[in-house]
Coordinates of all heavy atoms in Angstrom, one line a residue:
M2 N -16.4 9.8 7.7 CA -17.2 8.8 7.0 C -18.6 8.9 7.3 O -19.0 9.4 8.4 CB -16.7 7.4 7.3 CG -15.5 6.9 6.6 SD -15.4 5.1 6.8 CE -13.9 4.8 6.1
S3 N -19.5 8.5 6.4 CA -20.9 8.6 6.6 C -21.3 7.4 7.6 O -20.5 6.5 7.9 CB -21.7 8.4 5.3 OG -21.6 7.1 4.8
A4 N -22.5 7.4 7.9 CA -23.0 6.3 8.8 C -22.9 4.9 8.2 O -22.8 3.9 8.9 CB -24.5 6.6 9.2
N5 N -22.9 4.9 6.9 CA -22.8 3.6 6.2 C -21.4 3.1 6.0 O -21.2 1.9 5.7 CB -23.5 3.7 4.8 CG -25.0 3.8 4.9 OD1 -25.6 3.5 5.9 ND2 -25.6 4.4 3.9
N6 N -20.4 4.0 6.1 CA -19.0 3.6 5.9 C -18.9 2.8 4.5 O -18.5 1.7 4.5 CB -18.5 2.7 7.0 CG -18.5 3.4 8.3 OD1 -18.1 4.6 8.4 ND2 -18.8 2.8 9.4
S7 N -19.3 3.5 3.5 CA -19.4 2.9 2.2 C -18.1 2.9 1.4 O -17.4 4.0 1.4 CB -20.5 3.5 1.3 OG -20.2 4.9 1.1
V8 N -17.7 1.8 0.8 CA -16.5 1.7 0.0 C -16.9 1.1 -1.3 O -17.6 0.1 -1.4 CB -15.5 0.8 0.7 CG1 -14.2 0.6 -0.2 CG2 -15.1 1.3 2.1
W9 N -16.5 1.8 -2.4 CA -16.7 1.2 -3.7 C -15.4 0.6 -4.2 O -14.3 1.1 -4.0 CB -17.1 2.3 -4.7 CG -18.5 2.9 -4.5 CD1 -19.4 2.5 -3.5 CD2 -19.1 3.9 -5.2 NE1 -20.5 3.2 -3.6 CE2 -20.4 4.0 -4.7 CE3 -18.8 4.6 -6.3 CZ2 -21.3 5.0 -5.2 CZ3 -19.7 5.5 -6.8 CH2 -21.0 5.7 -6.3
I10 N -15.6 -0.6 -4.8 CA -14.5 -1.4 -5.3 C -14.5 -1.4 -6.8 O -15.6 -1.8 -7.4 CB -14.5 -2.8 -4.7 CG1 -14.5 -2.8 -3.2 CG2 -13.4 -3.7 -5.3 CD1 -14.9 -4.1 -2.5
L11 N -13.4 -1.1 -7.5 CA -13.4 -1.1 -8.9 C -12.2 -2.0 -9.4 O -11.1 -1.7 -9.1 CB -13.2 0.3 -9.5 CG -12.9 0.4 -11.0 CD1 -14.1 -0.2 -11.8 CD2 -12.6 1.8 -11.4
D12 N -12.6 -3.1 -10.0 CA -11.5 -4.0 -10.5 C -12.1 -4.9 -11.6 O -13.3 -5.3 -11.5 CB -11.0 -4.9 -9.4 CG -9.6 -5.5 -9.7 OD1 -9.5 -6.2 -10.8 OD2 -8.7 -5.2 -9.0
D13 N -11.4 -5.1 -12.7 CA -11.9 -5.9 -13.8 C -11.8 -7.4 -13.4 O -12.4 -8.2 -14.1 CB -11.3 -5.6 -15.1 CG -9.7 -5.8 -15.0 OD1 -9.2 -5.5 -14.0 OD2 -9.2 -6.3 -16.0
D14 N -11.1 -7.7 -12.4 CA -10.9 -9.1 -12.0 C -12.0 -9.5 -10.9 O -11.9 -9.0 -9.8 CB -9.5 -9.3 -11.4 CG -9.2 -10.8 -11.1 OD1 -10.1 -11.5 -10.6 OD2 -8.0 -11.2 -11.3
R15 N -12.9 -10.4 -11.2 CA -14.0 -10.7 -10.3 C -13.5 -11.3 -9.0 O -14.0 -11.0 -7.9 CB -14.9 -11.7 -11.0 CG -16.1 -12.1 -10.2 CD -16.9 -13.1 -11.0 NE -18.1 -13.4 -10.2 CZ -19.2 -13.9 -10.7 NH1 -19.3 -14.1 -11.9 NH2 -20.2 -14.1 -9.9
S16 N -12.4 -12.1 -9.0 CA -11.9 -12.7 -7.8 C -11.3 -11.7 -6.8 O -11.5 -11.8 -5.6 CB -10.9 -13.8 -8.1 OG -9.8 -13.3 -8.8
I17 N -10.7 -10.6 -7.4 CA -10.2 -9.6 -6.6 C -11.3 -8.8 -5.9 O -11.3 -8.5 -4.7 CB -9.3 -8.6 -7.4 CG1 -8.1 -9.3 -8.0 CG2 -8.9 -7.4 -6.6 CD1 -7.1 -9.7 -7.0
R18 N -12.3 -8.5 -6.7 CA -13.5 -7.8 -6.1 C -14.1 -8.6 -5.0 O -14.4 -8.1 -3.9 CB -14.6 -7.5 -7.2 CG -14.2 -6.5 -8.2 CD -15.3 -6.1 -9.1 NE -16.1 -7.1 -9.7 CZ -16.0 -7.7 -10.8 NH1 -15.0 -7.3 -11.6 NH2 -16.8 -8.7 -11.3
W19 N -14.2 -9.9 -5.2 CA -14.8 -10.8 -4.2 C -14.1 -10.8 -2.9 O -14.6 -10.7 -1.8 CB -14.9 -12.2 -4.8 CG -15.6 -13.2 -3.8 CD1 -17.0 -13.4 -3.7 CD2 -15.0 -14.0 -2.9 NE1 -17.3 -14.3 -2.8 CE2 -16.1 -14.7 -2.2 CE3 -13.7 -14.3 -2.5 CZ2 -15.8 -15.7 -1.2 CZ3 -13.5 -15.2 -1.5 CH2 -14.5 -15.9 -0.9
V20 N -12.7 -10.9 -3.0 CA -11.9 -10.9 -1.8 C -12.0 -9.6 -1.0 O -12.1 -9.6 0.2 CB -10.4 -11.2 -2.2 CG1 -9.5 -10.9 -1.0 CG2 -10.2 -12.6 -2.7
L21 N -12.0 -8.5 -1.8 CA -12.1 -7.2 -1.1 C -13.4 -7.0 -0.5 O -13.6 -6.5 0.6 CB -11.8 -6.1 -2.1 CG -10.4 -5.9 -2.5 CD1 -10.2 -4.9 -3.7 CD2 -9.5 -5.4 -1.4
E22 N -14.5 -7.4 -1.2 CA -15.9 -7.3 -0.6 C -15.9 -8.1 0.7 O -16.5 -7.6 1.7 CB -16.9 -7.9 -1.6 CG -17.2 -7.1 -2.8 CD -18.0 -7.9 -3.8 OE1 -18.4 -9.0 -3.6 OE2 -18.2 -7.3 -4.9
K23 N -15.5 -9.3 0.7 CA -15.5 -10.2 1.9 C -14.7 -9.6 3.1 O -15.2 -9.5 4.2 CB -15.1 -11.6 1.6 CG -15.9 -12.4 0.7 CD -17.3 -12.4 1.1 CE -18.2 -13.0 0.1 NZ -19.6 -12.8 0.3
S24 N -13.5 -9.1 2.8 CA -12.7 -8.6 3.8 C -13.3 -7.3 4.4 O -13.3 -7.1 5.6 CB -11.3 -8.3 3.2 OG -10.5 -7.7 4.2
L25 N -13.7 -6.4 3.5 CA -14.2 -5.1 4.0 C -15.6 -5.3 4.8 O -15.8 -4.7 5.8 CB -14.4 -4.1 2.9 CG -13.1 -3.7 2.2 CD1 -13.3 -2.9 1.0 CD2 -12.2 -2.9 3.2
S26 N -16.4 -6.2 4.2 CA -17.7 -6.5 4.9 C -17.5 -7.1 6.3 O -18.3 -6.7 7.2 CB -18.5 -7.4 4.0 OG -18.9 -6.8 2.8
K27 N -16.5 -7.9 6.4 CA -16.2 -8.5 7.7 C -15.9 -7.4 8.7 O -16.1 -7.6 9.9 CB -15.0 -9.5 7.6 CG -15.4 -10.9 7.4 CD -14.1 -11.7 7.5 CE -14.4 -13.2 7.6 NZ -13.2 -14.0 7.6
N28 N -15.4 -6.3 8.3 CA -15.0 -5.2 9.1 C -16.0 -4.1 9.2 O -15.7 -3.0 9.6 CB -13.6 -4.7 8.7 CG -12.5 -5.6 9.0 OD1 -12.1 -5.8 10.2 ND2 -12.0 -6.3 8.0
G29 N -17.3 -4.5 8.8 CA -18.4 -3.6 9.0 C -18.6 -2.5 7.9 O -19.3 -1.5 8.2
L30 N -17.9 -2.6 6.8 CA -18.0 -1.6 5.8 C -19.0 -2.1 4.7 O -19.1 -3.3 4.4 CB -16.7 -1.4 5.1 CG -15.6 -0.8 6.1 CD1 -14.2 -0.8 5.4 CD2 -16.0 0.6 6.5
E31 N -19.8 -1.2 4.2 CA -20.7 -1.5 3.1 C -20.0 -1.3 1.8 O -19.4 -0.3 1.5 CB -21.9 -0.5 3.2 CG -22.9 -0.6 2.1 CD -24.0 0.4 2.2 OE1 -24.5 0.7 3.3 OE2 -24.3 1.0 1.2
T32 N -20.0 -2.4 1.0 CA -19.3 -2.4 -0.3 C -20.2 -2.4 -1.5 O -21.3 -3.0 -1.4 CB -18.3 -3.5 -0.4 OG1 -19.0 -4.8 -0.4 CG2 -17.3 -3.5 0.8
T33 N -19.8 -1.8 -2.5 CA -20.4 -1.9 -3.8 C -19.3 -2.1 -4.8 O -18.3 -1.4 -4.8 CB -21.2 -0.6 -4.2 OG1 -22.1 -0.3 -3.1 CG2 -21.9 -0.7 -5.5
S34 N -19.4 -3.0 -5.7 CA -18.4 -3.4 -6.7 C -18.7 -3.0 -8.1 O -19.9 -3.1 -8.5 CB -18.0 -4.9 -6.6 OG -17.5 -5.2 -5.4
F35 N -17.7 -2.6 -8.9 CA -17.9 -2.3 -10.3 C -16.8 -3.0 -11.1 O -15.7 -3.1 -10.7 CB -17.7 -0.8 -10.4 CG -18.7 0.0 -9.7 CD1 -18.5 0.4 -8.3 CD2 -19.9 0.4 -10.2 CE1 -19.4 1.1 -7.6 CE2 -20.9 1.1 -9.5 CZ -20.6 1.5 -8.2
E36 N -17.2 -3.4 -12.3 CA -16.3 -4.1 -13.2 C -15.6 -3.1 -14.1 O -14.4 -3.3 -14.5 CB -17.0 -5.1 -14.0 CG -16.1 -6.0 -14.8 CD -16.8 -7.1 -15.5 OE1 -18.0 -7.3 -15.2 OE2 -16.2 -7.8 -16.3
T37 N -16.2 -2.0 -14.4 CA -15.6 -1.0 -15.2 C -15.7 0.4 -14.6 O -16.6 0.7 -13.8 CB -16.3 -0.9 -16.6 OG1 -17.6 -0.3 -16.4 CG2 -16.4 -2.3 -17.3
G38 N -14.7 1.3 -15.0 CA -14.7 2.6 -14.5 C -15.9 3.4 -15.0 O -16.4 4.3 -14.3
D39 N -16.4 3.1 -16.2 CA -17.6 3.8 -16.7 C -18.8 3.5 -15.9 O -19.6 4.4 -15.6 CB -17.8 3.4 -18.2 CG -16.8 3.9 -19.1 OD1 -16.2 5.0 -18.9 OD2 -16.5 3.3 -20.1
D40 N -18.9 2.3 -15.4 CA -20.0 1.9 -14.5 C -19.9 2.7 -13.2 O -20.9 3.3 -12.7 CB -20.1 0.4 -14.2 CG -20.4 -0.4 -15.3 OD1 -21.0 0.1 -16.3 OD2 -20.1 -1.7 -15.3
L41 N -18.8 2.8 -12.7 CA -18.6 3.6 -11.4 C -18.9 5.0 -11.6 O -19.6 5.7 -10.8 CB -17.1 3.4 -10.9 CG -16.9 4.0 -9.5 CD1 -15.9 3.2 -8.7 CD2 -16.3 5.4 -9.7
L42 N -18.4 5.6 -12.7 CA -18.7 7.0 -13.0 C -20.2 7.4 -13.1 O -20.6 8.4 -12.7 CB -17.9 7.5 -14.2 CG -16.4 7.6 -14.0 CD1 -15.7 7.9 -15.4 CD2 -16.0 8.7 -13.0
R43 N -20.9 6.4 -13.8 CA -22.3 6.6 -13.9 C -23.0 6.7 -12.5 O -23.8 7.5 -12.3 CB -23.0 5.5 -14.8 CG -22.9 5.8 -16.3 CD -23.7 4.8 -17.0 NE -23.2 3.5 -17.1 CZ -22.2 3.0 -17.8 NH1 -21.6 3.9 -18.7 NH2 -21.8 1.8 -17.8
R44 N -22.6 5.8 -11.7 CA -23.2 5.7 -10.3 C -22.7 6.9 -9.5 O -23.5 7.5 -8.7 CB -22.7 4.4 -9.6 CG -23.2 4.2 -8.2 CD -24.7 3.7 -8.2 NE -25.0 3.3 -6.9 CZ -24.9 2.1 -6.3 NH1 -24.5 1.1 -7.0 NH2 -25.3 1.9 -5.1
L45 N -21.5 7.4 -9.7 CA -21.0 8.5 -9.0 C -21.7 9.8 -9.3 O -21.8 10.7 -8.5 CB -19.5 8.7 -9.3 CG -18.7 9.6 -8.5 CD1 -18.7 9.2 -7.0 CD2 -17.2 9.6 -8.9
S46 N -22.4 9.8 -10.5 CA -23.2 11.0 -10.8 C -24.4 11.2 -10.0 O -25.0 12.3 -9.9 CB -23.6 11.0 -12.3 OG -24.5 10.0 -12.5
V47 N -24.8 10.2 -9.2 CA -26.0 10.2 -8.4 C -25.8 9.9 -6.9 O -26.6 10.1 -6.1 CB -27.2 9.3 -8.9 CG1 -27.6 9.8 -10.3 CG2 -26.7 7.9 -9.0
E48 N -24.6 9.4 -6.6 CA -24.3 8.9 -5.3 C -22.8 9.0 -5.1 O -22.0 8.9 -6.1 CB -24.8 7.5 -5.2 CG -24.6 6.9 -3.8 CD -25.2 5.4 -3.8 OE1 -25.7 5.0 -4.8 OE2 -25.0 4.8 -2.8
S49 N -22.3 9.1 -3.8 CA -20.9 9.1 -3.6 C -20.6 8.2 -2.4 O -21.3 8.3 -1.4 CB -20.3 10.5 -3.5 OG -20.9 11.1 -2.4
P50 N -19.5 7.5 -2.5 CA -19.0 6.7 -1.4 C -18.1 7.4 -0.4 O -17.7 8.6 -0.7 CB -18.2 5.5 -2.1 CG -17.6 6.3 -3.2 CD -18.6 7.3 -3.6
D51 N -17.8 6.8 0.7 CA -16.8 7.4 1.6 C -15.3 7.2 1.0 O -14.5 8.0 1.2 CB -16.9 6.8 3.0 CG -18.2 7.1 3.6 OD1 -18.4 8.3 3.8 OD2 -18.9 6.2 4.0
A52 N -15.2 6.0 0.3 CA -13.9 5.7 -0.3 C -14.0 4.9 -1.5 O -15.0 4.2 -1.7 CB -13.0 5.0 0.7
I53 N -13.0 5.0 -2.4 CA -13.0 4.1 -3.6 C -11.7 3.4 -3.7 O -10.6 4.0 -3.5 CB -13.1 5.0 -4.9 CG1 -14.5 5.7 -5.0 CG2 -12.9 4.1 -6.2 CD1 -14.7 6.7 -6.1
I54 N -11.7 2.1 -3.9 CA -10.5 1.3 -4.1 C -10.6 0.9 -5.5 O -11.5 0.3 -6.0 CB -10.5 0.0 -3.2 CG1 -10.5 0.4 -1.7 CG2 -9.3 -0.9 -3.5 CD1 -10.7 -0.7 -0.8
S55 N -9.5 1.3 -6.3 CA -9.5 1.0 -7.7 C -8.2 0.3 -8.2 O -7.1 0.7 -7.7 CB -9.6 2.4 -8.5 OG -9.6 2.2 -9.8
D56 N -8.4 -0.6 -9.1 CA -7.3 -1.2 -9.8 C -6.7 -0.1 -10.7 O -7.4 0.9 -11.0 CB -7.9 -2.3 -10.7 CG -6.8 -3.2 -11.4 OD1 -5.6 -2.9 -11.1 OD2 -7.1 -4.1 -12.1
I57 N -5.4 -0.2 -11.0 CA -4.8 0.8 -11.9 C -4.9 0.4 -13.4 O -5.4 1.2 -14.2 CB -3.3 1.0 -11.5 CG1 -3.2 1.5 -10.1 CG2 -2.6 1.9 -12.5 CD1 -3.7 2.9 -9.9
R58 N -4.6 -0.8 -13.7 CA -4.6 -1.3 -15.1 C -5.9 -2.1 -15.3 O -6.1 -3.2 -14.8 CB -3.4 -2.2 -15.4 CG -2.2 -1.4 -15.4 CD -1.0 -2.2 -15.9 NE 0.1 -2.1 -15.0 CZ 1.1 -2.9 -14.8 NH1 1.1 -4.0 -15.5 NH2 2.0 -2.7 -14.0
M59 N -6.7 -1.5 -16.2 CA -8.0 -2.2 -16.6 C -8.3 -1.8 -18.0 O -7.8 -0.8 -18.5 CB -9.2 -1.7 -15.7 CG -9.0 -2.0 -14.3 SD -10.4 -1.2 -13.3 CE -10.0 0.5 -13.5
P60 N -9.1 -2.6 -18.7 CA -9.6 -2.2 -20.0 C -10.4 -1.0 -19.9 O -11.1 -0.7 -18.9 CB -10.4 -3.4 -20.5 CG -10.1 -4.5 -19.6 CD -9.6 -3.9 -18.3
G61 N -10.5 -0.2 -21.0 CA -11.3 1.1 -20.9 C -10.6 2.1 -20.0 O -9.4 2.2 -20.0
I62 N -11.4 2.8 -19.2 CA -10.8 3.8 -18.4 C -10.0 3.2 -17.3 O -10.5 2.2 -16.6 CB -11.9 4.8 -17.8 CG1 -11.2 5.9 -17.0 CG2 -12.9 4.0 -17.0 CD1 -12.2 7.0 -16.6
N63 N -8.7 3.6 -17.1 CA -7.9 2.9 -16.0 C -8.0 3.7 -14.7 O -8.7 4.8 -14.7 CB -6.4 2.8 -16.5 CG -5.7 4.1 -16.7 OD1 -5.8 5.0 -15.8 ND2 -5.0 4.2 -17.7
G64 N -7.4 3.2 -13.7 CA -7.5 3.8 -12.4 C -7.0 5.3 -12.3 O -7.6 6.1 -11.6
L65 N -6.0 5.6 -13.0 CA -5.4 6.9 -13.0 C -6.3 7.9 -13.8 O -6.5 9.0 -13.3 CB -4.0 6.9 -13.6 CG -3.0 6.1 -12.7 CD1 -1.6 6.1 -13.4 CD2 -2.9 6.7 -11.3
E66 N -6.9 7.4 -14.9 CA -7.8 8.3 -15.6 C -9.1 8.5 -14.8 O -9.6 9.6 -14.8 CB -8.2 7.6 -17.0 CG -7.0 7.5 -17.9 CD -7.3 6.6 -19.1 OE1 -8.1 5.7 -19.0 OE2 -6.7 6.8 -20.2
L67 N -9.5 7.5 -14.1 CA -10.7 7.6 -13.2 C -10.4 8.7 -12.2 O -11.3 9.6 -12.0 CB -11.0 6.3 -12.6 CG -12.1 6.3 -11.5 CD1 -13.5 6.4 -12.2 CD2 -12.1 5.1 -10.6
L68 N -9.3 8.6 -11.5 CA -9.0 9.6 -10.5 C -9.0 11.0 -11.1 O -9.5 11.9 -10.5 CB -7.6 9.3 -9.9 CG -7.1 10.2 -8.8 CD1 -8.0 10.3 -7.6 CD2 -5.7 9.8 -8.4
S69 N -8.4 11.2 -12.2 CA -8.3 12.5 -12.9 C -9.7 13.0 -13.2 O -10.1 14.1 -13.0 CB -7.5 12.4 -14.2 OG -7.5 13.6 -14.8
T70 N -10.6 12.1 -13.7 CA -12.0 12.5 -14.0 C -12.7 12.9 -12.8 O -13.5 13.9 -12.8 CB -12.7 11.3 -14.7 OG1 -12.0 11.0 -15.9 CG2 -14.1 11.6 -15.1
I71 N -12.5 12.1 -11.7 CA -13.2 12.5 -10.4 C -12.7 13.8 -9.9 O -13.5 14.6 -9.4 CB -13.0 11.4 -9.4 CG1 -13.8 10.1 -9.8 CG2 -13.5 11.8 -8.0 CD1 -13.4 8.9 -9.0
Q72 N -11.4 14.1 -10.0 CA -10.9 15.3 -9.5 C -11.4 16.5 -10.3 O -11.7 17.6 -9.8 CB -9.4 15.3 -9.5 CG -8.8 14.5 -8.4 CD -7.3 14.4 -8.5 OE1 -6.7 14.5 -9.6 NE2 -6.6 14.2 -7.3
E73 N -11.6 16.3 -11.6 CA -12.1 17.4 -12.5 C -13.5 17.8 -12.1 O -13.9 18.9 -12.3 CB -12.0 17.0 -14.0 CG -10.6 17.0 -14.5 CD -10.5 16.4 -15.9 OE1 -11.5 16.2 -16.5 OE2 -9.4 16.2 -16.4
S74 N -14.3 16.8 -11.7 CA -15.7 17.0 -11.4 C -15.8 17.4 -10.0 O -16.5 18.2 -9.5 CB -16.6 15.9 -11.8 OG -16.2 14.7 -11.0

């Protein structure tokens, strides 16, 4: 992991993102949250986290499609 221990959270449910942010932050991890896979992919083109936590079922690009897209690039 990098010095920041960054984790990106992708979930269309705001309450899930909030719970994950609070839990991970309490444990010293830097979190960034995204509501859509497209938002995450745009950010990924200029920056990368140490880990991504993603919902599987979401409107638009789902978690499995996101994984496939990341692996292709």
Side-chain angles (χ1 to χ4, degrees):
M2 280 197 186
S3 72
N5 291 336
N6 297 320
S7 62
V8 178
W9 288 3
I10 301 164
L11 172 61
D12 200 302
D13 58 322
D14 185 325
R15 183 180 183 156
S16 62
I17 299 291
R18 291 192 313 267
W19 184 85
V20 167
L21 288 169
E22 287 169 4
K23 295 303 174 196
S24 178
L25 293 170
S26 294
K27 266 186 166 176
N28 288 288
L30 299 171
E31 179 183 311
T32 63
T33 304
S34 292
F35 300 88
E36 187 172 352
T37 70
D39 291 328
D40 291 342
L41 186 143
L42 287 173
R43 276 191 288 281
R44 180 81 173 266
L45 194 58
S46 68
V47 295
E48 184 180 353
S49 61
D51 293 304
I53 297 173
I54 298 173
S55 177
D56 189 3
I57 297 294
R58 289 189 229 158
M59 299 175 290
I62 186 170
N63 67 44
L65 296 176
E66 292 168 335
L67 175 75
L68 178 60
S69 178
T70 301
I71 291 171
Q72 287 178 331
E73 288 174 8
S74 61

